[in-house]
Amino acid sequence: KAGVTQTPRYLIKTRGQQVTLSCSPISGHRSVSWYQQTPGQGLQFLFEYFSETQRNKGNFPGRFSGRQFSNSRSEMNVSTLELGDSALYLCASTIGGGSPSYEQYFGPGTRLTVT
Amino acid sequence: AQSVSQHNHHVILSEAASLELGCNYSYGGTVNLFWYVQYPGQHLQLLLKYFSGDPLVKGIKGFEAEFIKSKFSFNLRKPSVQWSDTAEYFCAVNVGYSSASKIIFGSGTRLSIRP
């Protein structure tokens, strides 16, 4: 079974621009979560989508948004990029449905550099 | 607010040494606990998880962790480390039963093994 895929893998943007990252979950998984990983901060939860609806949201400004399509693929968008947005953005998928017993499967991440 | 603390930011050991990585969380209710590992250049992957039952949990590659509810801890252990255990280790907690997706991660512990 194919794993979680994320595109692009690397991205360089300048301040003020916007960016869209894509995540394709494992086939059959309906929940997609996004995390920001930075050195020293670990992984910080951005948001989670399940059946095209945002189900949970972390403490990030409104510049960070996302959506999920009917095929469970998800995109996240960051508008008006700031230098501090430079990070590895990870996507994780799980079967979903609300049970906490489901393991999250992570993708390789998108490395975003803002200059 | 719920949080996860990993007090050891960088641990350096020689091969065959014993390992214990600390993880403490702050939440008084029901928790589900995880340890994830990120090997250099690879995806985050699950080492082990605890939901209920025996508080001593065994995972892959000889790792185990013990849930001590009274101490709000879930420390990771391995009796004899190998050079291939060099990686970053993340403790994570999912609070309550609302969703599998909103998991709080610690800031990670980098483990370096001297051959």
Side-chain angles (χ1 to χ4, degrees):
Chain A
K1 188 159 34 170
V4 177
T5 57
Q6 292 186 246
T7 57
R9 293 292 311 278
Y10 302 92
L11 207 48
I12 299 175
K13 291 284 189 179
T14 56
R15 276 179 298 175
Q17 287 186 312
Q18 74 164 18
V19 66
T20 300
L21 313 181
S22 180
C23 171
S24 292
I26 290 172
S27 177
H29 285 192
R30 295 166 61 197
S31 168
V32 172
S33 297
W34 288 90
Y35 296 86
Q36 182 192 67
Q37 184 179 12
T38 54
Q41 294 283 324
L43 283 82
Q44 296 187 70
F45 174 76
L46 280 154
F47 30 64
E48 183 242 355
Y49 286 86
F50 176 76
S51 293
E52 302 178 65
T53 302
Q54 187 180 86
R55 191 161 65 170
N56 278 305
K57 190 176 187 305
N59 298 323
F60 277 80
R63 299 186 296 107
F64 292 81
S65 62
R67 59 177 175 168
Q68 187 180 35
F69 302 94
S70 58
N71 61 358
S72 294
R73 190 177 71 85
S74 177
E75 289 182 346
M76 70 162 276
N77 184 277
V78 188
S79 62
T80 320
L81 283 166
E82 300 176 0
L83 293 178
D85 296 333
S86 294
L88 181 67
Y89 289 88
L90 293 171
C91 165
S93 78
T94 187
I95 293 174
S99 167
S101 64
Y102 296 134
E103 172 186 348
Q104 290 199 328
Y105 294 83
F106 284 84
T110 294
R111 173 75 63 188
L112 172 64
T113 302
V114 182
T115 62
Chain B
Q2 299 94 6
S3 65
V4 177
S5 298
Q6 292 181 247
H7 304 294
N8 311 109
H9 297 293
H10 188 193
V11 173
I12 303 172
L13 295 172
S14 298
E15 277 195 310
S18 64
L19 168 72
E20 181 159 2
L21 301 183
C23 173
N24 289 90
Y25 63 91
S26 63
Y27 182 71
T30 303
V31 293
N32 303 296
L33 302 156
F34 308 82
W35 274 98
Y36 282 85
V37 61
Q38 190 171 33
Y39 297 104
Q42 294 190 26
H43 305 186
L44 266 167
Q45 57 183 285
L46 185 71
L47 263 183
L48 47 79
K49 59 185 178 184
Y50 170 82
F51 293 121
S52 63
D54 188 345
L56 185 61
V57 179
K58 295 195 183 298
I60 61 171
K61 305 189 181 187
F63 286 91
E64 64 179 32
E66 185 175 12
F67 170 49
I68 303 180
K69 190 174 181 180
S70 61
K71 294 185 178 180
F72 299 91
S73 70
F74 189 55
N75 292 354
L76 181 71
R77 300 195 293 247
K78 186 171 183 179
S80 176
V81 295
Q82 302 171 304
W83 180 80
S84 58
D85 294 325
T86 295
E88 189 149 18
Y89 293 80
F90 294 91
C91 180
V93 174
N94 182 39
V95 299
Y97 284 97
S98 59
S99 163
S101 60
K102 188 174 182 178
I103 295 180
I104 303 166
F105 282 82
S107 56
T109 296
R110 186 157 62 99
L111 175 64
S112 300
I113 305 297
R114 291 189 291 248

